[in-house]
Amino acid sequence: MLASRVIALSCIVLFIFSASARASDEDLDFIDASVLVPGETGYGLTVLYGDSVIRFPVTFVGRLENAMVTQDMILIRLVGEPFDKSGIIQGMSGSPIYFRGKLLGALAYGWQFAKDPIAGVTPIKLMVRLLAEQAADTRMPMADHPPRGMRSLAAPLSVAGLSPDRKGEAWRRVESLGYLAAAGGRASGRARLQPGSAIGVRLVDGDLSLTAIGTVTYVRDSGVIAFGHPFLNRGLSRMPMTGARIETILPAADISFKMGSASEDVGAILRDAQPGISGSLGEAPAMIPMSVAIDAPWGSNRYSFRICRDDAITNVLFDIAWASAAEAGAYTAGPAGAEVSVSLVVGGREVTLKDKGVVERSILDMMPTVPLRILYDNPFMRIHPDSVAIHISFNDDRRSHEIVSMKPLVAAAEPGEIVPVDLVFRSYDAGRWIHRVMVAVPAGFPEGLLTLTAGGGRGLGRTDLPEPVNMDLLLDRLESYEPSNMLVLYGLGDGGRNLEVEGGILPALPPSLRKIQSGLDRASTGFTQTETMDATVFGRANAQIMIRRK
């Protein structure tokens, strides 16, 4: 027993000495701005073309003490071409800066419309802490604002798989992420990352590729530090790390940027905070497979994507992937008939929602990713789907059935009785016609006035279901989706409240969707009856019957 304790203590002591030795070695490799003098020369490393790391000269300007919370801002000037014409370049963030042969930090900030290539540097002694914190449940202070006029050199988003004309809904959704997005490509091969190498954070892969590109600052064993500023500022992160190839530099009046292509995964990004991002070389984290199948009169198309796992951004990435498939595989303007199926696998459970209807303006009016938004907005637990599959079939069937009126064929009925009700419809191609529905009054329905309401499928906005109180019940609610081609009759007694809400996948996101999480009033004296029709049902009609016992 004593021997085992001695061994354990010796291991702890050995670890402490090893950590101290490593910190001491790093101190020898690093330099602090306080010992530098203005005008002193140094150099930086980055990639301007291909994957070759080049050295560029810099001079020390000075430092702004406590320019941000717990952080000084070190100022340098880049010297010579191409910076005398291009200025600071987005995509250089993370470029290591050296003075006296030692690492000072990462080039990370610049000024828009600046006449001189002045840059801000994040000190390496702040950045290196990220490696120790990768496995810890900790979060550094949220990103502070740099001094006025200065901004972080946001990693440009390399976009492959969208039209280079930057038109369309998919591009609009990409730009809504808030990053400088530029057309890019895909590069083969597995990069060997070193200080100055181009590095990527992969958001989407497959038939669409979205990768944020920056520069490696420091590599220690399998640990990698980059950017010198936050990416999404998530604290702990888990996104694929890639290499990248720089295709060219695009000069711009406000701030120039690199155009690049992501290469194969090389590891995982694990930390994302004020001083930068860090990760580990090796296995990349799993992404969420998403498939989109589009069948149209002129042919069929299949698209495949992989989406990164992030609590805040993943649902937006699903929207972008869907929009890119829709624009590539079908016409996006004008009316059309559509049948939609959305299948999610969540914790091994498959949930499928189906709809049928007509889009009047564009297929992008459809929102097959609505269930994913609900999943990510749930108040019960953090969760990602195991997989997502969307299947859409387009046709020329633009029929729709509008409910004009409703008339019960009896004035009074008993609980448990079957009541014939005639519905008058007006259809796209058939004028007015009558459809008879046999309404079953529940045996236990109370005496009094029964109000019948007929309408189309309510999507997810159902008030006859209990409020979800856990994830299983939320998935049950998703499975209860009522498609647009469903005829819904619901009855309310004298004490009931009619709070029905329309909306769903077709044609657009309902504004009251969040009621699913917040809870809905449930009528204690209500019942529902449904029937699947051959076309979209819309409109609403009411009628009343007296319920009395003999």
Side-chain angles (χ1 to χ4, degrees):
M1 180 69 175
L2 179 61
S4 64
R5 291 184 61 188
V6 171
I7 292 172
L9 288 172
S10 67
C11 290
I12 293 173
V13 172
L14 178 62
F15 173 78
I16 292 173
F17 282 131
S18 298
S20 299
R22 169 166 281 173
S24 177
D25 290 343
E26 286 177 342
D27 287 341
L28 294 176
D29 295 333
F30 301 156
I31 191 170
D32 192 274
S34 61
V35 302
L36 301 178
V37 296
E40 189 168 347
T41 60
Y43 66 91
L45 301 176
T46 198
V47 175
L48 295 179
Y49 182 77
D51 55 11
S52 299
V53 177
I54 61 100
R55 178 184 293 203
F56 58 91
V58 300
T59 59
F60 178 70
V61 174
R63 63 178 177 144
L64 304 175
E65 295 188 26
N66 296 318
M68 294 186 283
V69 176
T70 70
Q71 179 176 330
D72 293 349
M73 180 62 65
I74 304 168
L75 301 179
I76 62 169
R77 176 182 281 105
L78 280 63
V79 180
E81 294 185 352
F83 310 110
D84 51 0
K85 294 181 179 178
S86 67
I88 307 300
I89 300 169
Q90 285 193 340
M92 288 185 70
S93 55
S95 296
I97 304 299
Y98 298 85
F99 283 89
R100 304 180 191 177
K102 297 182 179 182
L103 181 58
L104 174 66
L107 186 152
Y109 297 88
W111 278 266
Q112 285 182 285
F113 305 106
K115 292 184 177 181
D116 286 333
I118 304 294
V121 173
T122 300
I124 186 59
K125 292 185 178 181
L126 282 179
M127 298 179 67
V128 77
R129 291 165 47 191
L130 297 172
L131 293 176
E133 296 168 345
Q134 285 180 168
D137 188 11
T138 181
R139 183 181 289 267
M140 295 191 71
M142 295 296 286
D144 189 25
H145 295 292
R148 184 173 181 178
M150 176 180 279
R151 74 179 203 182
S152 62
L153 299 176
L157 202 59
S158 173
V159 181
L162 296 183
S163 171
D165 63 7
R166 303 180 68 89
K167 295 180 180 179
E169 182 63 19
W171 266 113
R172 189 193 68 78
R173 295 180 188 185
V174 167
E175 290 169 346
S176 73
L177 295 174
Y179 296 93
L180 188 153
R186 297 176 175 86
S188 61
R190 186 180 175 91
R192 179 180 175 274
L193 298 186
Q194 59 181 312
S197 294
I199 185 175
V201 181
R202 194 186 303 281
L203 303 180
V204 180
D205 195 18
D207 289 315
L208 171 69
S209 175
L210 299 180
T211 305
I213 293 179
T215 305
V216 174
T217 306
Y218 182 68
V219 178
R220 186 182 72 195
D221 301 329
S222 63
V224 178
I225 307 173
F227 282 23
H229 57 69
F231 174 46
L232 299 175
N233 202 41
R234 292 289 185 263
L236 297 179
S237 181
R238 196 155 183 83
M239 294 183 176
M241 177 197 303
T242 78
R245 174 184 172 84
I246 303 305
E247 309 299 346
T248 190
I249 304 298
L250 188 63
D254 54 351
I255 193 162
S256 304
F257 60 91
K258 295 181 180 182
M259 296 180 69
S261 304
S263 57
E264 295 178 11
D265 295 343
V266 295
I269 299 298
L270 302 173
R271 194 78 170 90
D272 178 5
Q274 174 71 52
I277 63 172
S278 69
S280 180
L281 297 171
E283 185 177 355
M287 302 177 78
I288 304 169
M290 175 186 183
S291 63
V292 178
I294 298 178
D295 295 325
W298 54 85
S300 300
N301 292 283
R302 302 292 183 266
Y303 302 91
S304 178
F305 308 96
R306 294 188 302 135
I307 312 295
C308 76
R309 300 170 186 264
D310 180 81
D311 294 338
I313 199 175
T314 297
N315 62 332
V316 180
L317 300 177
F318 280 122
D319 282 345
I320 293 171
W322 147 244
S324 71
E327 290 179 328
Y331 52 86
T332 57
E339 295 186 34
V340 187
S341 172
V342 182
S343 294
L344 315 177
V345 177
V346 183
R349 173 180 173 180
E350 185 172 3
V351 178
T352 299
L353 297 80
K354 294 185 177 182
D355 209 342
K356 178 179 181 178
V358 177
V359 291
E360 297 297 336
R361 298 178 303 171
S362 166
I363 65 170
L364 289 169
D365 287 342
M366 292 189 298
M367 299 295 292
T369 53
V370 165
L372 291 162
R373 295 189 185 186
I374 295 170
L375 188 67
Y376 280 97
D377 284 345
N378 88 82
F380 310 119
M381 62 189 298
R382 296 171 61 183
I383 194 168
H384 293 283
D386 303 325
S387 64
V388 178
I390 298 173
H391 183 196
I392 298 179
S393 177
F394 295 103
N395 53 62
D396 294 327
D397 184 5
R398 288 183 280 158
R399 292 179 304 143
S400 59
H401 303 323
E402 179 186 5
I403 300 173
V404 178
S405 63
M406 177 169 62
K407 180 181 180 181
L409 300 188
V410 297
E414 291 185 84
E417 188 175 342
I418 303 297
V419 177
V421 176
D422 281 351
L423 289 168
V424 177
F425 285 93
R426 180 169 49 226
S427 296
Y428 175 78
D429 60 350
R432 294 194 177 211
W433 51 283
I434 295 175
H435 178 68
R436 181 161 296 176
V437 179
M438 306 305 289
V439 178
V441 180
F445 201 85
E447 292 186 295
L449 196 62
L450 165 63
T451 299
L452 288 173
T453 301
R458 298 165 290 178
L460 293 163
R462 295 184 56 181
T463 65
D464 59 321
L465 296 177
E467 173 190 355
V469 294
N470 56 43
M471 180 56 67
D472 285 338
L473 290 178
L474 180 58
L475 295 178
D476 289 343
R477 176 64 69 90
L478 291 178
E479 286 188 320
S480 72
Y481 184 89
E482 291 180 349
S484 302
N485 64 315
M486 179 176 283
L487 172 63
V488 182
L489 290 98
Y490 44 102
L492 294 173
D494 288 333
R497 295 179 61 196
N498 185 343
L499 293 175
E500 298 303 316
V501 183
E502 291 186 346
I505 295 175
L506 285 166
L509 176 67
S512 53
L513 210 54
R514 292 188 181 275
K515 287 189 177 181
I516 292 172
Q517 281 88 344
S518 61
L520 297 163
D521 292 337
R522 185 183 182 185
S524 59
T525 57
F527 66 91
T528 302
Q529 184 171 314
T530 64
E531 180 181 343
T532 300
M533 306 291 283
D534 63 352
T536 301
V537 176
F538 69 100
R540 183 159 299 197
N542 297 287
Q544 292 181 323
I545 301 172
M546 182 59 67
I547 303 298
R548 60 169 67 97
R549 300 180 186 274
K550 291 184 179 178

